[in-house]
């Protein structure tokens, strides 16, 4: 395996060693012989502008406070257009891997340069290269079982906040569009997630096609709620043999005229390669009973004390017709069609928990944020391809809070090779046990 030069790997290693001070620094000398002492490396800036702000550095006998810019090569300063950008006039130090060109500030002033080529320890170089070049699903997978569980589980606890931020984005958008109507926003999110993965888009369009306030006007009649849901879904088009769909159709035509509704197109619904119990028609029948039995859905979620209460709320059975049908006019053996335990847990994880968490954050009520995380901790870990991958590597989720964190770890860190921003990657890099493949050569050599 051929060694890769740092220039092909980006500036993230420089950011990492600068923030952690994980480099040889008993005495630091600038490229022009300046004595450099780092008092505070500053705050990493992820927006536009210099890479670090609020840094404090002593150069020779003068104390400087300002910004630090980093590049693989010093000539990148010109390549990135900083030489004419006044935003870079407050840079007090240019940190580079290789100094290949003299640099001046936009104002024309001198800029001290610190070259890192000989300062980064060999084991940091080799460990970084190994992680970045690894094409496995989890770059540090072969080392994961040797990481102290206290480190890995502490990291999972920290990134659950990131997960909640991502999981609440859809609800935040709904709230913005619906002028902070929590009940309507939750109704739309919940109905979308009743489609799970396969029919989520169709359920979302259905939720957008008419307000929950219209459904609420018919709270006393499950039949009328079903007529609205199945009619708006487009399932009441055409001719029917059974009396029940005929009655639903008649009722829906009346309600459609009354509320000036327009149904979505039936071709959007997917039935192929699905178990009948997961058909969208069955999910609609389940949602109809849930709405019929529950006043103010979101308020009910907020008031639920634990997972058991939430589970009971979602465990309602379908109406009598749907106990012997999976589709209209197609009879089947009569059986209960309650929402399954696994499906309820997914709804709690993907809909209820993010909604309660965001409500608490929005209103500054930490008790709801804590309650949302407590609900996750009380649910069993999810069993999917990602959680099984981590489990096979020695990192097993003990509950849904940890399995959600593993999903975040995989999508945000492992998939993007953000190993230097991960506590597990940091731990492996700072270990002086070489992770280098025998055929690889350290970049520092």
């Amino acid at each position: 395996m051929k060694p890769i030069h740092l220039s092909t790997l980006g500036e993230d290693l420089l950011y990492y060693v600068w923030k952690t001070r994980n480099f040889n620094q008993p005495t630091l000398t600038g490229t022009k012989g300046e004595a450099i002492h780092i008092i505070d490396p500053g705050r990493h800036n992820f927006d536009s502008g210099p890479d670090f702000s609020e840094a404090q550095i002593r150069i020779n006998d003068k104390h400087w406070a300002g910004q630090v810019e980093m590049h693989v090569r010093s000539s990148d300063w010109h390549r990135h257009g900083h030489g004419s950008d006044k935003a870079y006039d407050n840079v007090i130090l240019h940190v580079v891997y290789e100094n290949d060109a003299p640099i001046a500030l936009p104002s024309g002033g001198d800029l001290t340069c610190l070259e890192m080529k000989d300062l980064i320890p060999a084991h940091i170089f080799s460990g970084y290269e190994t992680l970045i070049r690894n094409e496995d699903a989890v770059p540090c997978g072969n080392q994961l079982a040797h990481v102290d569980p206290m480190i890995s589980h502490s990291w999972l606890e920290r990134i659950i906040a990131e997960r909640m931020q991502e999981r609440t984005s859809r609800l935040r958008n709904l709230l913005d569009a619906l002028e902070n109507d929590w009940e309507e926003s939750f109704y739309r999110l919940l109905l979308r997630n009743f489609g799970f993965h396969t029919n989520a888009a169709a359920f979302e369009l259905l939720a957008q096609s008419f307000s929950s306030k219209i459904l609420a006007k018919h709270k006393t009649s499950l039949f009328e709620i079903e007529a609205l849901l199945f009619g708006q879904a487009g399932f009441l088009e055409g001719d029917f043999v059974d009396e029940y769909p005929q009655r639903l159709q008649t009722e829906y035509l009346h309600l459609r005229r009354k509320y000036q509704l327009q149904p979505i197109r039936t071709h959007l619904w997917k039935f192929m390669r699905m178990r009948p119990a997961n058909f969208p028609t069955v999910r609609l029948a389940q949602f109809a009973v849930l709405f019929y039995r529950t006043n103010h859905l979101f308020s009910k979620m907020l008031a639920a004390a634990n997972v058991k209460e939430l589970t009971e709320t979602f465990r309602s059975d379908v109406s009598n017709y749907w106990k012997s049908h999976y589709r209209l006019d197609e009879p089947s053996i009569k059986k209960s069609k309650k929402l399954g335990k696994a499906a309820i847990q997914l709804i709690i994880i993907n809909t209820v928990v993010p909604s309660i968490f965001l409500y608490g954050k929005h209103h500054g009520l930490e008790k709801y944020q804590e309650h949302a995380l407590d609900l996750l901790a009380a649910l069993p870990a999810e069993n999917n391809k990602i959680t099984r991958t981590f489990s096979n590597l020695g990192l097993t989720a003990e509950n849904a809070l940890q399995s959600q964190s593993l999903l975040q770890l995989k999508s945000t860190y492992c998939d993007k090779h953000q190993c230097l921003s991960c506590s597990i990657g940091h731990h492996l890099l700072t270990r002086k046990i070489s992770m280098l493949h025998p055929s690889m050569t350290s970049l520092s050599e």
Side-chain angles (χ1 to χ4, degrees):
M1 189 179 296
K2 296 180 180 179
I4 295 178
H5 193 273
L6 182 62
S7 62
T8 66
L9 302 179
E11 297 166 357
D12 51 344
L13 181 58
L14 291 177
Y15 300 152
Y16 171 76
V17 296
W18 179 258
K19 285 191 291 187
T20 61
R21 303 197 194 191
N22 213 322
F23 55 93
N24 303 319
Q25 52 169 333
T27 57
L28 297 176
T29 305
T31 55
K32 294 181 180 179
E34 307 96 325
I36 298 173
H37 175 68
I38 302 168
I39 301 169
D40 187 333
R43 179 171 53 85
H44 197 173
N45 174 34
F46 295 96
D47 298 318
S48 60
D51 296 315
F52 286 83
S53 60
E54 302 174 19
Q56 295 189 53
I57 299 169
R58 183 178 294 113
I59 301 176
N60 292 328
D61 295 326
K62 190 171 183 179
H63 186 131
W64 294 82
Q67 300 164 321
V68 174
E69 178 66 6
M70 298 190 175
H71 291 114
V72 173
R73 294 186 176 92
S74 55
S75 58
D76 291 339
W77 176 276
H78 296 304
R79 193 173 296 110
H80 296 171
H82 302 333
S84 58
D85 189 343
K86 295 297 184 181
Y88 289 79
D89 246 340
N90 289 327
V91 172
I92 60 175
L93 183 66
H94 193 203
V95 179
V96 302
Y97 172 69
E98 181 178 75
N99 180 41
D100 66 336
I103 300 300
L105 292 168
S107 61
D110 291 336
L111 177 58
T112 302
C113 178
L114 175 64
E115 186 179 67
M116 303 289 286
K117 183 187 297 184
D118 298 321
L119 300 179
I120 302 175
H123 73 278
I124 296 291
F125 261 127
S126 60
Y128 171 76
E129 185 182 20
T130 301
L131 290 174
I132 296 303
R133 297 179 68 185
N134 195 317
E135 297 180 359
D136 292 344
V138 179
C140 67
N142 62 342
Q143 295 287 318
L144 199 53
H146 305 297
V147 175
D148 185 339
M150 287 289 290
I151 292 173
S152 53
H153 286 103
S154 174
W155 179 235
L156 293 182
E157 288 179 7
R158 285 174 58 189
I159 62 175
I160 192 61
E162 294 179 17
R163 185 66 176 174
M164 288 297 100
Q165 181 71 11
E166 288 192 8
R167 302 302 289 170
T168 57
S169 61
R170 187 181 296 275
L171 182 57
R172 290 198 304 271
N173 292 337
L174 285 171
L175 287 166
D176 289 342
L178 298 170
E179 299 179 344
N180 285 329
D181 187 333
W182 286 87
E183 287 291 343
E184 180 69 18
S185 299
F186 181 76
Y187 154 77
R188 291 197 184 184
L189 181 64
L190 178 61
L191 190 53
R192 180 188 191 278
N193 289 342
F194 253 71
F196 294 87
H197 178 72
T198 306
N199 280 296
F203 270 94
E204 183 172 17
L205 286 174
L206 174 61
Q208 293 171 357
S209 72
F210 72 121
S211 169
S212 64
K213 294 176 176 61
I214 293 177
L215 274 183
K217 292 178 180 179
H218 301 270
K219 285 285 295 182
T220 59
S221 172
L222 176 58
F223 174 76
E224 292 172 15
I225 290 174
E226 285 191 344
L228 280 165
L229 287 171
F230 283 96
Q232 280 301 101
F235 288 127
L236 298 180
E237 304 288 333
D239 299 322
F240 296 98
V241 175
D242 292 348
E243 178 188 358
Y244 189 70
Q246 290 176 1
R247 291 175 51 222
L248 284 177
Q249 186 181 58
T250 301
E251 180 65 23
Y252 172 67
L253 290 175
H254 162 68
L255 295 172
R256 178 179 176 178
R257 287 191 296 268
K258 180 178 179 179
Y259 296 115
Q260 298 181 325
L261 300 175
Q262 183 63 40
I264 69 173
R265 297 179 180 179
T266 54
H267 76 269
L268 297 170
W269 299 102
K270 297 179 176 63
F271 289 85
M272 294 292 291
R273 293 184 291 278
M274 292 184 69
R275 293 176 58 247
N278 296 330
F279 280 179
T281 43
V282 175
R283 295 300 187 208
L284 276 178
Q286 292 165 341
F287 186 84
V289 175
L290 170 67
F291 197 93
Y292 172 68
R293 289 183 51 186
T294 310
N295 290 318
H296 306 294
L297 274 170
F298 183 58
S299 297
K300 179 79 171 181
M301 302 298 111
L302 286 176
N306 49 46
V307 168
K308 183 178 179 181
E309 283 190 29
L310 288 171
T311 301
E312 288 303 313
T313 299
F314 288 104
R315 283 284 288 171
S316 52
D317 207 348
V318 295
S319 61
N320 194 55
Y321 179 83
W322 289 104
K323 289 179 182 178
S324 58
H325 291 78
Y326 290 102
R327 303 182 72 161
L328 294 167
D329 267 357
E330 297 182 13
S332 61
I333 297 174
K334 189 171 185 178
K335 61 182 296 187
S336 171
K337 293 188 178 68
K338 292 182 179 180
L339 202 58
K341 186 176 181 180
I344 292 174
Q345 289 174 355
L346 285 176
I347 288 175
I348 294 175
I349 291 170
N350 295 322
T351 310
V352 178
V353 165
S355 299
I356 294 175
F357 186 90
L358 182 60
Y359 181 84
K361 186 174 182 180
H362 181 83
H363 293 284
L365 299 171
E366 289 188 8
K367 67 175 185 178
Y368 286 110
Q369 296 178 64
E370 293 172 359
H371 179 51
L373 298 182
D374 287 342
L375 290 173
L376 279 182
L379 287 165
E382 298 151 275
N383 179 15
N384 52 47
K385 182 179 179 181
I386 292 175
T387 58
R388 289 192 295 271
T389 295
F390 278 108
S391 183
N392 291 336
L393 294 172
L395 184 54
T396 302
E398 298 173 1
N399 50 50
L401 188 146
Q402 291 184 359
S403 62
Q404 280 288 295
S405 294
L406 286 178
L407 298 180
Q408 186 70 14
L409 179 61
K410 181 70 166 62
S411 63
T412 302
Y413 297 91
C414 302
D415 290 351
K416 299 176 182 178
H417 276 85
Q418 292 296 309
C419 306
L420 300 182
S421 299
C422 171
S423 287
I424 296 173
H426 170 69
H427 170 71
L428 291 173
L429 278 176
T430 53
R431 290 170 58 194
K432 293 196 176 180
I433 301 173
S434 175
M435 298 190 301
L436 198 59
H437 189 278
S439 64
M440 294 174 63
T441 304
S442 171
L443 291 175
S444 63
E445 295 178 353

